[in-house]
Amino acid sequence: MTTTPPDVLRCAYAELVVTDLAASRAFYVDVLGLIPTYEDGERIHLRAVEEYLHHSLVLRQGDTPALAVLGYRVRGAADLDLAEAHYRALGVRVQRRPAGATRGIGEAVRVEDPLGFPVEFFHDAVHVERFTQRYDVHGAGALSRLDHFNLGTPDVPAARAYYEDLGFRVSEDIQDAEGTVYAAWMFRKPTVHDVALTGGDGPRLHHLAFATHERHQILHICDHLGALRRSGMIERGPGRHGVSNAFYLYVRDPDGHRIEIYTHDYYTGDPDNPVITWDVHDHQRRDWWGNPVVPSWYTDASPVLDLDGRVRPVVPRVQPREAEVTVGADGFSYTSPRNGFKLGEQV
Amino acid sequence: MTTTPPDVLRCAYAELVVTDLAASRAFYVDVLGLIPTYEDGERIHLRAVEEYLHHSLVLRQGDTPALAVLGYRVRGAADLDLAEAHYRALGVRVQRRPAGATRGIGEAVRVEDPLGFPVEFFHDAVHVERFTQRYDVHGAGALSRLDHFNLGTPDVPAARAYYEDLGFRVSEDIQDAEGTVYAAWMFRKPTVHDVALTGGDGPRLHHLAFATHERHQILHICDHLGALRRSGMIERGPGRHGVSNAFYLYVRDPDGHRIEIYTHDYYTGDPDNPVITWDVHDHQRRDWWGNPVVPSWYTDASPVLDLDGRVRPVVPRVQPREAEVTVGADGFSYTSPRNGFKLGEQV
Amino acid sequence: MTTTPPDVLRCAYAELVVTDLAASRAFYVDVLGLIPTYEDGERIHLRAVEEYLHHSLVLRQGDTPALAVLGYRVRGAADLDLAEAHYRALGVRVQRRPAGATRGIGEAVRVEDPLGFPVEFFHDAVHVERFTQRYDVHGAGALSRLDHFNLGTPDVPAARAYYEDLGFRVSEDIQDAEGTVYAAWMFRKPTVHDVALTGGDGPRLHHLAFATHERHQILHICDHLGALRRSGMIERGPGRHGVSNAFYLYVRDPDGHRIEIYTHDYYTGDPDNPVITWDVHDHQRRDWWGNPVVPSWYTDASPVLDLDGRVRPVVPRVQPREAEVTVGADGFSYTSPRNGFKLGEQV
Amino acid sequence: MTTTPPDVLRCAYAELVVTDLAASRAFYVDVLGLIPTYEDGERIHLRAVEEYLHHSLVLRQGDTPALAVLGYRVRGAADLDLAEAHYRALGVRVQRRPAGATRGIGEAVRVEDPLGFPVEFFHDAVHVERFTQRYDVHGAGALSRLDHFNLGTPDVPAARAYYEDLGFRVSEDIQDAEGTVYAAWMFRKPTVHDVALTGGDGPRLHHLAFATHERHQILHICDHLGALRRSGMIERGPGRHGVSNAFYLYVRDPDGHRIEIYTHDYYTGDPDNPVITWDVHDHQRRDWWGNPVVPSWYTDASPVLDLDGRVRPVVPRVQPREAEVTVGADGFSYTSPRNGFKLGEQV
């Protein structure tokens, strides 16, 4: 690249198309405790309790569940020009959007990125009250802030190179002895990631993740869904990741969009932060406790829209898939005579 | 029954035969943090941090992993005579044991109970230091006290009747619409249980359970096993039970004996404590979050010894087995279109 | 005593007179998360999330803040007659009350006990939904159940003897080398206490205590009061008690009634449960971390009513007061050169 | 400033002079759980469990307790030259130090900064094992990483300007209506602070802070000190800060050096992160729960050494002191009729 990429601060917001806004509100507001900044019959703008920008999640009523956009915040207004030039040089579709094109967001540059995702860069945004100390409205499962995006993409090394050109660095990845890369975790803010690249058919959104302060907040979300007799929304976890060391839970919203609740990752901000490479055959890589990864976690993901709002076609992964190579190594596999019960032989 | 049963206070200790005492010590002392009261080359006597009797668990070196005895504490010395008379009236084998026959335990009555388990009643026991406030030696996963025994037995209503004659009451059970009872939880001390009866081939010990104060202590045990690369010892959980509402983890010791770590159950001490009956087809009964019960949890259990130290033959369950009837209802089943991923169709 | 005392199960409910029912509701329902079973313009009946009797706390509108009654639940209906005979033999005032005299409570015996407290014994009570697993309505500071009463009384040994005659046992106490008893903890249910006797002017209610499962629930109540800018309602703590080992917080309701939130005590149900005697000069007895006990905690308490609803006169303590003898030993004192900052010399 | 300051990544390590290395080891290793990277009879190099540089704390045996140096890590080797030029332009004493002058640290620039503190800038450092997932050695109070330095300095606005020139930004501060600044929190890594400036006699080290993941880890440290009968080492807390929203504990090491244990602060990395200014008369600014700040916390601090190892003279604060102006507003004060018990009138 000869262009200077924009200075990305962090992942900042996502917009999801949902098919039943009231059902989604019951999930994101009543169960997850996100705070509505704005809502009308077509959209709900939500933020977590420590966020002061207008929103970190927009839910939009539509016919087909999909990811409409991923928003990255850049350091300053000048980065918008850099973003435009950068993506024009990449030869992809680029749009300038005026302030307010998305409520609460200033001028922005939207692109169909080389991986096929609809991505927006913005700096200006409306400030709203930060609810950090509004414990009077914190539920037992309060979410603190958006943490990361996880993207399904067929060619992880190519996606990694694209994000490295955008200034992201790798914290951890999963490979095999032949050098196949199954997934990579990349960051701008000094956490384990702002974006994870998960090898698979893509472009698809694997999940969005919100952070909590402690694990009991994540456990409460499970208890809460149990009380609502909606335990089927719990897809995987809670558990401890090997990669990132974070404590995690994956839930599926009413449209099947996957949300991770996440805590306990670590500081990565020094330039020599050690990169951790996990062997795809290490059965503790995805769950430190060796618990199985359910197949849907590998296979399901949300479609993404192009800049015209049409669902993007999906390109299949050509390289080996993690779920396939880990039969015999993953949680659904024999990892020792003792945990043979984990059913790997049946998948 | 025309005899007066002994006044049982609570489940008090168990003796397990283990095949590698050093390996068992590494698990029970180094990972679970139990405190050795006494140890020699043949035995280790252990207690949890809030216990002041000599031990709540004895590990004994032997050739075959098995449960050697379940100890119930009775209110006073006179209860030993009541116990002897009670079991003689039941027509089962009864032994008086002098003080010290088990180190740290006073005079006792041992029986082969009608369910086939080796059971001891005792009152006197050596007092040792209670480590409640010895936080200098509490690890991050400190266990507070023995909580309950869980027994595999073919005929749950028969076993329940036997324990009711011994003065136990039911807190919760699992049934189906036809009235088949799959499991029952029974208590003397005012918790959900001192003993659980799990329908299955028996007599076998399903598990022993120790209580902690908080969930983070249970989560640490998982993390610890992960760090030791022994995650295969984690069989099921952590999770929230439907029955009992307790937060749980099941681990398997080096011989496969199953230990539950358990917290958050509730007070049951009033005589009108409501009994909760769960439908065997309620997929949240075993895990409030709908997570699957691994098949080994239903099938595996420890053999038990008779009073001569010989392994007891196992009587198969004749009534329907929970794991069988819950294909289609259990975690390994479709409970809704959303949690179809839980693999029920493959079991 | 020659009478047979009633078989008390546990402390069961209290009725407090409050001067502004709406303000009290904001505290007990909105902050502490107690569940209203019934409310009208004069009274609110409340229970904690794991309770199935009609209430464990009644708030009644009145002119003067006071304790109206302490309710102990007895094992059966026959215990009411035993209670009546027991207190008639004690020569104190006794009333039979028909079912429903207090909403939700069956037939009862009320007495002015020898310590001067209005006490009710009852067995029958209306059952209501137990919210144990209603996590959809559990706030971040959910209270599980009423745990104990703490009573101010001038002569602790006399009060202890009275309660021992009623079948209570001592778990812990505070004494000095001269044998003066400053406080005693006594129980029927196998926790550290159903009632604590605190030496001081009496009869007065020192506090009521509710239990939570974990400490983070107690910490949330502090955060919540901070968010409401009502941190002045936090009187003492949070901290770890020496006595009982419980984690505690003392808050004051809008009328100054003191409520403790409490977790982590231990099992006391065996008849040889070791009694722990603390030296009044041990500065960790009241707070394991050596933090100071604020003077108001020693001096303030709620008046109690007689059976006609009049405030009982208070009898002063004659023996040394804990707050006085512990200047130089308590948290407001030098306990070592390092923690001299704890201001003992200034009190 | 016309020089380009070095690009500081974060606060990275401190060296303390202690008078009894064995006593200090018992505190920092046995109680706080820091991991020794290196130790001999003169020095112990320690790190927290998620740190991979050689150390974040050095304890050095000496005659007088003091801070020997504060280490900031810079982005690259070139920043050392920038640092040297920057401080030469400031007219203060500057030293180049070869790699290894401090074990584990590469080439460095040491200065006596304009505030009077001994400060080192370095980039290269030896990497050691990161114990993030070594749960087998994490104690119940595991510390994750060094979080910040807190410095006593007479003139906070001057100190703030100096640190702003070094590229730090303010997250929060405490002022009064007259504009007097009592304290300021400043950061490079996106947390609330790498350095806090506390108005008072200086240069003195107010404290060093280490972060944990959860609050129970902090509470365990209190319990642990109680078990050791060293509760006098607990100076203040645990509690919730108003400023930073962090959950905190202050302990004093055997020489009186103050260590904070700290968790739950928030992300500050966006350039428009809102600055929070607290009123010095807001009694929840230092403790969100309104608990008192003990006087020693305001008055005591560690002396600092110059580059020759001599204790620096202290310059008294001229502006009003927080402890003085908050008599009547602080925790030792009446903040409302209810919390009058907090003893402000007696100080």
Side-chain angles (χ1 to χ4, degrees), chain B residues 316-333:
Chain B
R317 178 168 169 87
V318 173
Q319 293 172 300
R321 292 164 188 269
E322 186 171 344
E324 292 163 358
V325 302
T326 56
V327 173
D330 198 288
F332 279 92
S333 60

Side-chain angles (χ1 to χ4, degrees), chain C residues 215 219 222 234 236-240 247-249 287 289-291, chain D residues 215-223 234-241 246-251 260-263 286-289 291-292:
Chain C
R215 292 168 294 179
L219 300 175
C222 298
I234 299 172
R236 179 184 162 206
R240 169 81 69 189
F247 190 86
Y248 71 88
L249 171 72
D287 186 274
W289 309 336
N291 279 330
Chain D
R215 292 167 295 177
H216 65 83
Q217 295 164 315
I218 293 176
L219 300 175
H220 178 79
I221 291 169
C222 298
D223 288 336
I234 299 172
E235 183 186 34
R236 179 184 160 206
R240 170 81 69 190
H241 283 308
F247 190 86
Y248 71 87
L249 171 72
Y250 294 97
V251 288
E260 181 179 16
I261 320 296
Y262 180 95
T263 192
R286 289 285 187 187
D287 185 274
W288 186 242
W289 310 335
N291 279 329

